[in-house]
Amino acid sequence: MSQHKTQLRRLLATLPAAALVLSLAACGSSGDGGGSKPGDPATALDTPTTLTFWTWAPNMDKAVAGFEKKYPKIKVNVVNAGQSAAEYTKLQTAIKAGSGGPDVAQVEYFALPEFALSKRLVNLDEYGAADLKAKFTAAAWSQVTSNGGVYGIPQDTGPMAMFYNEKVLGEFGIAPPKTWAEFEAAAAKIHQADPNRFITSIDPGDAGGVDSLLWQAGSRPFQQKSATSVGVNLADDGAKKVSEFWSGLLAKKLVDPAPGWTNEWWQSMASGKYAMWIIGAWAPGNLASTIPQTSGQWRAAPIPQWGTGDPVSSENGGSANVVPVTSTHKDAAVAFTKWLNSDPDGTKALSDNGLFPATTDMLKDPAFLDKPIEVLGGQKANQVFAQSSAAVSPNWQFLPYQVYANSVFKDTVGQGIAGNGSISSGMEAWQKRITDFGTQQGFSITAP
Amino acid sequence: MSTTTARKGRSPRRNRHSTALTVAMGLMLLYAFLPLVWLLLASTKDSKSLLSSFGLWFGDGFHLFTNIHDVLTYDDGIYVRWFGNTLLYAVVGAGGAAVIATAGGYALAKYRFRGRNAVFALVLGAITIPGTALAVPTYLLFSKVGLVDSPWAVLLPSMVSPFGLYLMRVYAQDAVPDSVLEAARIDGAGELRTFFTISLRLLGPGFVTVLLFSLVATWNNYFLPLIVLSDPKWFPLTVGLNQWNSFATGAAGSGATTTGFYPLIVTGSVLAIVPLVVAFLFLQRFWQSGLASGSVKQ
């Protein structure tokens, strides 16, 4: 608890996104980077403690019950404090205030560097997290490491896959495309047969979706070089490839530039207006619960490829569990986080809950791999997803202020997607906004 | 709403209506009502027909009661709890805001004291600061005194309504004639008694106006509770429904949703606006001016 008063920037605080970044705005006094020394986890687990766990994944109490049974002295209070940005706003304010925050929190990978950089999170390296590295997929582990520290334990991942409606593709006599060139040909075929139907949609407001496409194409637009310097390049080869490809599709009206997840969008998914959805491996649960009438029509396949060599994939979504520096039970909190996300009982409970695993054991587990998935017509799709997970291309990084960057995506790249200019000019605008903001926040920005 | 055109003598009022205006008003009405109609119709559909039928007509089957049942029972009836919280925040918060604003506005309008203008200027300045901007500082303040994550964290800020105070000062200026106050004082009534028995009645319409404004504002307040509450058991409807919405819209990028949330959100929203409609219908009859006319000879 620091009594140090920092100047609150009232204007910034009006925006949740900006409120998040307040932390970066030269207030290096709150939180001491986890001043207390790690104790013995065994002792901590044998001391009566109540932990507060912020997560938005439903049914998490079932997973937690297993832990409480094993360590009866610890009670874990599961709180759904809101989802994604809603939770981050709260988490930042709580940590800043020094109280009222949780002991463990769920944070998506894209937001993690922001919390880590502003010294909001316990560096789990001090708690021997390095031993866990081998348990997780390389992609998941690289997303919790930031500037040489480990700031979270991976909880779930979202390797990319192509979910296509078999019935719809069959109607047009199209085989599931294996490359982006085939994808374009299939899109043209659908458009010729029926201009009101599309191979898929692209969301002008979803930065994460475009990030996944860039990632897969080999683009590395965001680089965190040190605690104070950041590289931004939204015009590298991969980014150019993606921008031009999708601009071309949009110009020929081969994909539908529509916001995802809306009522209208689900209607289009249910009615066969869209033939496929290219998204993270967590999607079957959403298909099954939102449009049950299409259950059994969907199939999963690898994401279309750019090249002919080994398959390359990327991630979409996924989160880690972090321990904020304000936690008063850090030892127990770390022990709980480790158990939930790496103990076989913990990971099984998470997987049963619909979270796509982040541990290599789980991804190799025959029971998991051979599980038929009803919404995908009984396909053992976890095999497809596990291959995708193994093929995720390494070294992707997020900005230390990705939450802000994502919030201005729809005003920049989103405009290009929606048809006001090209995606490339949208990328330029996004680059500019990200650079300006980073400079304001005191980062030195290296741009191409 | 009757518009009285200038009447000459006692000639009967002529109904002059303009087609263009009527059409324009009709369009406005449509614009205002269509979303509501959509919402009401959507609340009668299940997940399947919500996502397959035409928005402005019934889907197959009438699922309103099933939906209401689902809303009220999901997660051990958390929705009912949110509803209760919202009622508490709105009634206590808006009631408090109206009482404080009325008393304060009356004092500023009818008493002369040192610093009166400074206080009023401060209030005017406070109006210009959006509540959202104060949410984070409020959190920091409350966390120091240990009030975060409790209903007080929402109630206390809700009771402060600078706009209400300003409105009541302006209203009290004219609604309570000085001569009435003087008459009361001559008759030997104390200040408090005068306020409660005479002024408050004259201030009724203004009071109700402020009450309604604050009621709607608290009912719809989103950012403040979002910041200061983390435990869902204290959420108001706005934050709770938004949480359901983010389940439905996969804001978290995980497939861990297990329910078809859309019908829940739609039906939950319908239930959430019912009390506001009732409050408006019930309170609008107090919205009459001219209560003070005839109390004194000017």
Side-chain angles (χ1 to χ4, degrees):
Chain A
M1 286 268 291
S2 71
Q3 294 298 322
H4 189 90
K5 279 211 178 64
T6 55
Q7 215 189 356
L8 259 173
R9 303 180 166 197
R10 230 178 230 164
L11 274 176
L12 273 183
T14 53
L15 295 166
L20 276 175
V21 186
L22 268 179
S23 52
L24 301 171
C27 48
S29 63
S30 37
D32 50 359
S36 64
K37 280 279 158 283
D40 177 24
T43 324
L45 289 170
D46 207 29
T47 319
T49 313
T50 301
L51 295 174
T52 306
F53 176 28
W54 281 8
T55 173
W56 57 77
N59 308 321
M60 202 51 115
D61 33 0
K62 288 184 193 143
V64 166
F67 176 79
E68 288 177 326
K69 213 160 99 190
K70 200 166 170 182
Y71 303 104
K73 293 268 173 75
I74 312 274
K75 192 176 170 329
V76 182
N77 188 3
V78 178
V79 174
N80 181 341
Q83 205 155 352
S84 202
E87 188 209 63
Y88 307 147
T89 309
K90 246 186 268 219
L91 197 55
Q92 289 281 19
T93 6
I95 298 174
K96 202 171 161 49
S99 69
D103 298 297
V104 179
Q106 176 183 3
V107 170
E108 287 156 288
Y109 295 124
F110 78 84
L112 195 131
E114 193 154 319
F115 283 93
L117 185 80
S118 50
K119 302 263 189 295
R120 298 286 202 246
L121 307 178
V122 171
N123 182 352
L124 300 172
D125 251 355
E126 297 164 17
Y127 290 80
D131 319 346
L132 294 175
K133 183 175 177 176
K135 291 189 177 232
F136 293 97
T137 66
W141 193 256
S142 77
Q143 296 196 76
V144 293
T145 49
S146 172
N147 281 326
V150 176
Y151 291 97
I153 308 276
Q155 179 156 58
D156 65 319
T157 59
M160 291 290 273
M162 177 175 86
F163 296 91
Y164 63 93
N165 188 319
E166 202 182 34
K167 213 176 94 195
V168 176
L169 283 192
E171 259 176 80
F172 295 106
I174 295 170
K178 290 191 170 57
T179 63
W180 287 111
E182 285 177 24
F183 174 89
E184 185 168 11
K189 199 168 171 180
I190 292 175
H191 183 71
Q192 256 166 357
D194 185 349
N196 295 320
R197 293 170 73 183
F198 300 91
I199 189 159
T200 190
S201 67
I202 179 167
D203 184 342
D206 179 21
V210 169
D211 283 345
S212 300
L213 293 171
L214 292 172
W215 183 344
Q216 194 231 353
S219 170
R220 293 291 177 269
F222 314 124
Q223 300 283 348
Q224 205 178 315
K225 297 182 153 82
S226 76
T228 54
S229 81
V230 171
V232 185
N233 183 0
L234 283 156
D236 61 8
D237 292 348
K240 277 200 189 102
K241 205 155 56 172
V242 171
S243 307
E244 281 161 21
F245 179 74
W246 287 90
S247 277
L249 291 173
L250 285 160
K252 295 181 221 140
K253 300 218 179 336
L254 301 186
V255 290
D256 192 18
W261 297 93
T262 61
N263 184 290
E264 193 188 0
W265 183 85
W266 279 114
Q267 287 208 2
S268 307
M269 288 286 283
S271 68
K273 181 179 167 184
Y274 300 145
M276 62 173 64
W277 185 21
I278 296 172
I279 196 74
W282 38 261
N286 299 103
L287 290 170
S289 65
T290 315
I291 41 175
Q293 64 270 41
T294 62
S295 184
Q297 295 173 10
W298 299 93
R299 296 288 178 278
I303 181 173
Q305 294 296 307
W306 287 105
T308 48
D310 289 340
V312 183
S313 179
S314 58
E315 299 258 358
N316 182 280
S319 12
N321 286 162
V322 303
V323 179
V325 288
T326 46
S327 165
T328 45
H329 316 287
K330 293 191 183 71
D331 290 321
V334 172
F336 164 69
T337 310
K338 281 183 181 172
W339 182 91
L340 180 65
N341 300 306
S342 69
D343 185 278
D345 292 340
T347 53
K348 181 165 185 330
L350 294 177
S351 167
D352 290 344
N353 196 5
L355 294 166
F356 191 81
T359 60
T360 46
D361 279 356
M362 197 71 195
L363 288 166
K364 284 192 203 115
D365 181 9
F368 169 78
L369 289 171
D370 297 332
K371 195 171 90 181
I373 298 179
E374 197 186 338
V375 71
L376 305 175
Q379 184 189 7
K380 293 172 183 168
N382 283 335
Q383 298 175 3
V384 177
F385 305 146
Q387 280 159 6
S388 171
S389 178
V392 171
S393 80
N395 305 327
W396 170 269
Q397 289 187 315
F398 285 110
L399 289 168
Y401 49 92
Q402 194 70 39
V403 179
Y404 167 83
N406 286 3
S407 74
V408 295
F409 174 87
K410 62 175 178 298
D411 307 331
T412 52
V413 183
Q415 293 298 314
I417 293 173
N420 307 321
S422 69
I423 297 185
S424 304
S425 60
M427 289 280 185
E428 273 168 44
W430 200 22
Q431 166 108 21
K432 188 176 176 319
R433 292 285 287 270
I434 290 172
T435 308
D436 291 351
F437 185 83
T439 313
Q440 276 167 22
Q441 297 297 326
F443 289 98
S444 65
I445 311 270
T446 42
Chain B
M1 279 183 269
S2 65
T3 48
T4 43
T5 44
R7 275 182 275 174
K8 287 198 187 100
R10 306 188 63 187
S11 65
R13 220 166 91 209
R14 272 179 309 166
N15 272 338
R16 287 190 312 169
H17 60 155
S18 121
T19 319
L21 271 180
T22 313
V23 169
M25 283 304 296
L27 285 176
M28 295 281 261
L29 192 75
L30 266 182
Y31 178 75
F33 264 98
L34 271 184
L36 194 65
V37 172
W38 181 91
L39 189 70
L40 288 172
L41 286 168
S43 67
T44 67
K45 300 174 185 179
D46 60 359
S47 188
K48 192 172 141 209
S49 63
L50 187 65
L51 296 171
S52 58
S53 63
F54 176 63
L56 290 172
W57 194 243
F58 292 97
D60 34 346
F62 186 81
H63 300 275
L64 178 62
F65 298 110
T66 334
N67 285 344
I68 291 179
H69 173 266
D70 288 348
V71 166
L72 300 183
T73 53
Y74 177 79
D75 202 6
D76 303 329
I78 187 85
Y79 182 88
V80 180
R81 169 127 199 165
W82 292 340
F83 210 95
N85 292 342
T86 308
L87 274 179
L88 171 81
Y89 300 150
V91 171
V92 178
V99 169
I100 294 169
T102 307
Y106 171 77
L108 282 175
K110 292 293 160 192
Y111 294 100
R112 304 261 169 272
F113 54 91
R114 194 187 290 250
R116 185 173 85 126
N117 286 334
V119 170
F120 191 58
L122 205 65
V123 171
L124 276 182
I127 292 177
T128 61
I129 300 172
T132 317
L134 296 172
V136 175
T138 304
Y139 179 94
L140 298 179
L141 205 69
F142 281 164
S143 88
K144 286 275 183 284
V145 288
L147 280 180
V148 282
D149 219 6
S150 80
W152 292 109
V154 179
L155 284 173
L156 290 175
S158 304
M159 288 185 186
V160 180
S161 167
F163 176 70
L165 184 76
Y166 166 78
L167 199 84
M168 283 318 286
R169 178 187 182 265
V170 174
Y171 188 80
Q173 203 105 44
D174 297 332
V176 184
D178 287 335
S179 39
V180 171
L181 292 183
E182 280 157 26
R185 282 173 195 146
I186 288 166
D187 289 345
E191 292 303 327
L192 275 179
R193 185 175 165 190
T194 311
F195 175 69
F196 282 111
T197 54
I198 298 170
S199 311
L200 207 51
R201 287 174 197 190
L202 299 176
L203 291 172
F207 177 86
V208 172
T209 308
V210 173
L211 183 70
L212 269 176
F213 276 142
S214 319
L215 201 65
V216 175
T218 340
W219 194 270
N220 294 331
N221 196 350
Y222 173 72
F223 193 63
L224 174 81
L226 175 78
I227 291 271
V228 297
L229 302 173
S230 55
D231 191 338
K233 71 171 194 279
W234 290 117
F235 281 178
L237 284 168
T238 42
V239 178
L241 282 172
N242 187 57
Q243 190 170 83
W244 281 1
N245 193 41
S246 47
F247 278 143
T249 54
S254 92
T257 43
T258 44
T259 322
F261 266 98
Y262 281 104
L264 284 185
I265 300 159
V266 168
T267 314
S269 309
V270 171
L271 295 179
I273 55 175
V274 169
L276 273 190
V277 173
V278 171
F280 259 90
L281 293 176
F282 179 74
L283 288 174
Q284 68 168 5
R285 58 197 191 91
F286 293 96
W287 243 339
Q288 318 153 345
S289 52
L291 277 175
S293 57
S295 57
V296 285
K297 272 208 156 69
Q298 292 287 11

